[in-house]
Amino acid sequence: MNAIVALCHFCELHGPRTLFCTEALHSPLPQGAGCGDSLGQGEAAEEEEMGIQMSSRIRSHSPAEGASAESNSPRLKKSDMCEGCRSLAAGHPGYISHDKETSIKYVSHQHPNHPQLFSIVRQACVRSLSCEVCPGREGPIFFGDEQHGFVFSHTFFIKDSLARGFQRWYSIIVIMMDRIYLINSWPFLLAKIRGIIDELQGKAFKVFDAEQFGCPQRPLRINTAFTPYLHKRNGNAARSLTSLTNDDNLWACLHISFAWLLKACGCRLTEKLLEGAPTEDTLVQMEKQADLEEECAAWEGQDGEAGSLRPQPNVLEVRANETSKLLECRLPVIFRSLRHMRQVLGAAYFRVLAWHILMGNQVIWKGQDRDLIQSAFDVLRTMLPVGCVRVIPYSEKYEDAYRCNFLGLSPQAEIPPHVQTSEFTVMVDVRSAPRSNLYPVLYAGNEPLSRYDFVVSSGSPVATDRVGLTILNKIEAALNNENLSVDVVDQCLVCLKEEWMNKVKVLFKFTKVDSRPKEDTQKLLGILGASEEDNIKLLKFWMTGLSKTYKSHLMSSVRSPAVSECRN
C-alpha cells in the first residue's frame, strides 16, 4: 500500500511532533540484506544508497558530504527537540525490512527523508493533535484533501506519572493520496491500530502503576506550592516513550507492526480495470445467474408445501447446462480448441458445421462418448454470443430446435426424417473406427480422438456453395494462420463477436425501436457491410442474444421523450 504510517506526540514544550514513521519504497532488493535488521554504517549502507536514498542518515560521510547532507535534510534542529520528541538516538540508521515477494522495502525513521513527504507528515501530525480531533480527544477520525493527502488518525493517551494530568497525548496516523482506498480500509486499520494502541497502553500502565506504588505523585503535587512551570523544574518531565513503556525494543517492534500493517492492508484490496461498458456476454451471464438464483430460492420455499410442483428433470438439465460456464462445472476436455477441431474434422466439414452454428441452425452430435460431445459443444459455443446458446449435452430422445441449438444424442435415439433432410440442421455422427486407420500422424497412441470417425451431413447442400459469412471467412483466416497462438485466436474471436454484436445493436435500434422503413434498413446494412443474405440472417439470429438490460434501456430511452411531452 502506498502510504505512510506515523506515530505522533503532543509535547508540552514543543507542541505536536512526529516520533516515528514507516514508508514503503518500491525499489530493487539489495543483495545480502536481511529482514527486519537495523542498517549499519559504512559498506552495508553503501549498497542501500540507490534504492533507499537515505544517505544523510545511513552512510558515514566525509566532512564535506556531511555538511551538504545536513543542509538539505528536513530534520528538526536538536535545540527544538527534547527526550519526549525524540525516538531514535542521534546517528541511529533506522530500520528496514525487505519483502522478497514484491521487492518492496519498508523503511522506518523519525521523519521521512524527502522534503515534500516531511511536510505532508508534519502537517498531518499537527492537525491530528490539534484541530482534527474526535469528541473525547481519543478515537479515530478521517480528514485530508487532494493536495496534502488523506489521513486516518487515531488519538490516544499514555499514562505518565510525571506529566500534567498523569497522561500524554499521542496519535497514530496513516497518510495516503487515495481517498477511496483509505476509506475502504477503515475497518481493517481501526482494528489493527487499536491493537497496537492497546499494547502500548498496557505496557505504560504497568510502569505507571509501579511508579505510583513506589512514590505517589498526586499527594506530592498537592503538598507542593503551585508553580505554573512546575514541569520545567523536573528534569525527567519530558520522558521518551521507551521510558514510559520500559521497552528498549519498542521502536523495532513498532517498525515490524507498521511494516506488516502496510503490507497486509495492501494485500486486502485489489483494483480491477474495467475498460468500457460490460459486454453483452457479461450482461447475459449476470441475468442467467440471477434467474437461476431466483428459481433456486423458489424451490427451497416450496419444499415444505404439500403437493408442490418441482420442475421436470429435463427442464433442470437444460437450465443447468445453460449456466454450466457460470458454475464452472466443466467436463474433461477432448477437443482443445477450434483449430484442433478443424484439424480433426477437416476444413470442408468444419466450414459446414461452423456455417450452421453461426446461422442459428440446430447442431446434432450423435455418439456414445458423452465427454467427447460435451467438449465439442464447449469449443463450438465460443463462436456464438452467450445469449444465443441453448445446450442439451446428452439426451435419449430428440429435442426440437426451439429448445436447443446444440443437441447431443445417444446412438439409440431416433431423429425424425424431416429433421434429417432439413436445411436448418447439421448432424455429426461419431462412429467407432480402427485406431490404425484414423489420424496416424496427428493422433497416434492413446489419444482419445483416434478411436472415432466423424461424419458431417446436412440437408442443405447449398450452404457449401455460397460465398459465405464474412465473420466465418475471418475466423478461418485466423485458424489458418499458424503464426497465431491459440490464445491469440481466442482474442480475435472475442473481437469479431463484439464487432458483429455492435452491428446487431445498431440494427435492433434502427428496426425494432425506431421502426425505419425497409429502404433505409437496406442502406444501413450496406454501410455496416452486411448486405449479403447470409449476413442478414446472422444479424437477425444474433439479435435474439441481446440482453434484457440492453433492450429495456433502449425502450425506456424511447419512451422518456413521449412521457415528458405528455407532461408538458
Side-chain angles (χ1 to χ4, degrees), residues 203-204 207 240-250:
K203 293 179 180 180
V207 176
S240 65
L241 190 57
T242 54
S243 174
L244 295 177
T245 58
N246 192 27
D247 187 358
D248 295 335
N249 297 321
L250 174 67

Side-chain angles (χ1 to χ4, degrees), residues 303-358:
D303 284 342
E305 298 179 3
S308 60
L309 297 177
R310 299 299 296 272
Q312 297 298 321
N314 56 352
V315 177
L316 291 177
E317 185 179 9
V318 174
R319 178 63 64 183
N321 286 288
E322 284 182 348
T323 57
S324 60
K325 283 197 174 243
L326 299 173
L327 301 178
E328 296 183 356
C329 298
R330 297 182 59 92
L331 296 172
V333 176
I334 297 178
F335 285 106
R336 299 188 295 271
S337 63
L338 286 175
R339 178 177 289 171
H340 181 207
M341 179 176 288
R342 190 168 183 266
Q343 293 173 348
V344 174
L345 299 181
Y349 276 167
F350 178 82
R351 183 176 179 82
V352 173
L353 183 61
W355 185 89
H356 282 278
I357 291 172
L358 294 171

